[in-house]
Amino acid sequence: MTAKAFQDCFAEEFAHCFGCGRLNEDGLKIKSYWEGDESVCRYAPQSYYTGGFPGFVYGGFIASLIDCHSSATASATKLREQSIALGDKPLSRFVTASLKVDFLRPTPMDKVLELRSRATEIKTRKVIVVTTVLADSEICAKGEAVMVEIAGSGWQ
Amino acid sequence: MTAKAFQDCFAEEFAHCFGCGRLNEDGLKIKSYWEGDESVCRYAPQSYYTGGFPGFVYGGFIASLIDCHSSATASATKLREQSIALGDKPLSRFVTASLKVDFLRPTPMDKVLELRSRATEIKTRKVIVVTTVLADSEICAKGEAVMVEIAGSGWQ
């Protein structure tokens, strides 16, 4: 059985995001999965996502990955809290209230980046998600995203 | 006389950034200019930079604009501090140590976004840049970026 990606469980209306929308043909189409209590996304940046510093990944791109993966993690976390299996109901959609990224070292190009996240606070409509971004098992960046659920966007 | 964009004053080595590199053919090629004490960047997002919420701009894209415009603002600020005119020397290059974005309201698609920034702290190798992002004169997001100069990247 193949695990279901969080992003494949959004209603069609919410599936056009540049970062994660399965229906955005020009987008990144990132995919996030549960691995125990952590959500994980792996992505190899295209060669043109270089930063200002030669040989390294563009910070805005790293922020984008964190943003989208955090949003999907918030949605999947809320579903899991209600003991509903992924895929049984459309996920609700979260928007970003704030995003903080600390860039701890330059992130090398030509690597598969690994984002590992968990929810640290879960309220009725707010979820805080913290993320580490790794390349070759080294932490390159950390993120914290405050996500807010769009009322009426899920199955409820 | 046409004003010079900050990004046109980076040495070739530092001109490949996805967000602002004039030599990155696949990139956004954003341009930043002085308007008095503020640096300003205007950009109309391509139609595929939609967010998770239909009709609005992708948060990761807004973070990317803030990141690049802040980096260039830090570089231009340092040059100005030394009373050197833009274009007289290559700008030094700053990397992002941390980036915080507060999304205050959904940012509508099909608008020219305006980023207005100023440096709030200037140290030997560190510059903090705060930014407001406007659409139709309404503030949609605010950013704060801590930028660090790459040693030896400028004219000095």
Side-chain angles (χ1 to χ4, degrees):
Chain A
M1 192 183 103
T2 310
K4 219 176 217 348
F6 303 168
Q7 291 84 1
D8 292 334
C9 303
F10 287 124
E12 198 165 303
E13 180 188 7
F14 298 112
H16 295 270
C17 172
F18 178 80
C20 65
R22 66 183 183 277
L23 302 176
N24 188 327
E25 289 307 323
D26 299 298
L28 305 176
K29 291 194 174 78
I30 72 160
K31 302 289 182 192
S32 306
Y33 303 91
W34 285 123
E35 286 188 16
D37 286 341
E38 287 189 318
S39 66
V40 178
C41 167
R42 294 183 181 87
Y43 198 91
Q46 290 82 344
S47 60
Y48 46 80
Y49 283 121
T50 45
F53 195 1
F56 297 96
V57 180
Y58 174 43
F61 182 79
I62 292 166
S64 296
L65 291 182
I66 294 173
D67 184 31
C68 267
H69 178 57
S70 298
S71 173
T73 298
S75 300
T77 298
K78 284 293 279 188
L79 199 75
R80 191 181 244 195
E81 282 275 302
Q82 295 164 93
S83 304
I84 299 170
L86 202 60
D88 280 1
K89 301 277 183 188
L91 287 180
S92 60
R93 221 0 168 157
F94 280 70
V95 291
T96 315
S98 79
L99 175 68
K100 169 108 173 5
V101 182
D102 290 309
F103 298 94
L104 305 180
R105 71 183 77 212
T107 301
M109 291 296 294
D110 306 320
K111 304 287 177 187
V112 175
L113 304 184
E114 183 176 278
L115 287 82
R116 305 193 72 90
S117 302
R118 58 176 72 229
T120 56
E121 190 180 313
I122 306 166
K123 297 228 166 130
T124 312
R125 284 186 56 211
K126 186 177 101 173
V127 176
I128 296 179
V129 178
V130 296
T131 299
T132 53
V133 181
L134 302 105
D136 275 345
S137 304
E138 277 206 311
I139 297 177
C140 299
K142 289 192 174 195
E144 182 179 290
V146 180
M147 309 300 311
V148 176
E149 196 173 20
I150 303 173
S153 65
W155 64 275
Q156 289 172 306
Chain B
M1 193 184 104
T2 309
K4 218 175 220 344
F6 302 169
Q7 291 84 1
D8 292 335
C9 303
F10 288 124
E12 197 166 304
E13 180 189 7
F14 299 112
H16 295 271
C17 171
F18 178 79
C20 64
R22 65 182 184 277
L23 301 176
N24 188 327
E25 289 307 321
D26 299 298
L28 305 176
K29 291 194 175 78
I30 72 161
K31 301 289 182 193
S32 307
Y33 303 91
W34 284 122
E35 286 187 15
D37 286 342
E38 288 189 316
S39 66
V40 178
C41 166
R42 295 183 180 87
Y43 198 92
Q46 290 82 345
S47 60
Y48 45 81
Y49 282 122
T50 47
F53 195 1
F56 297 95
V57 181
Y58 174 43
F61 182 78
I62 293 167
S64 296
L65 291 183
I66 294 172
D67 184 32
C68 266
H69 178 58
S70 298
S71 172
T73 297
S75 300
T77 298
K78 284 294 280 189
L79 199 73
R80 191 181 244 196
E81 283 277 302
Q82 295 164 93
S83 304
I84 299 170
L86 203 59
D88 278 1
K89 301 277 183 185
L91 287 179
S92 60
R93 228 348 174 162
F94 280 70
V95 292
T96 316
S98 78
L99 175 68
K100 168 107 173 5
V101 182
D102 290 308
F103 298 93
L104 305 180
R105 72 183 77 213
T107 302
M109 291 296 294
D110 305 320
K111 304 286 177 189
V112 175
L113 304 183
E114 183 176 278
L115 286 82
R116 305 193 73 88
S117 302
R118 58 176 72 229
T120 57
E121 191 179 313
I122 305 166
K123 299 228 165 131
T124 312
R125 284 187 56 211
K126 185 177 101 172
V127 176
I128 297 179
V129 178
V130 296
T131 299
T132 53
V133 181
L134 301 105
D136 274 346
S137 304
E138 278 206 312
I139 297 176
C140 299
K142 290 191 174 196
E144 181 178 291
V146 179
M147 309 300 311
V148 176
E149 196 173 21
I150 303 172
S153 64
W155 64 275
Q156 290 172 304

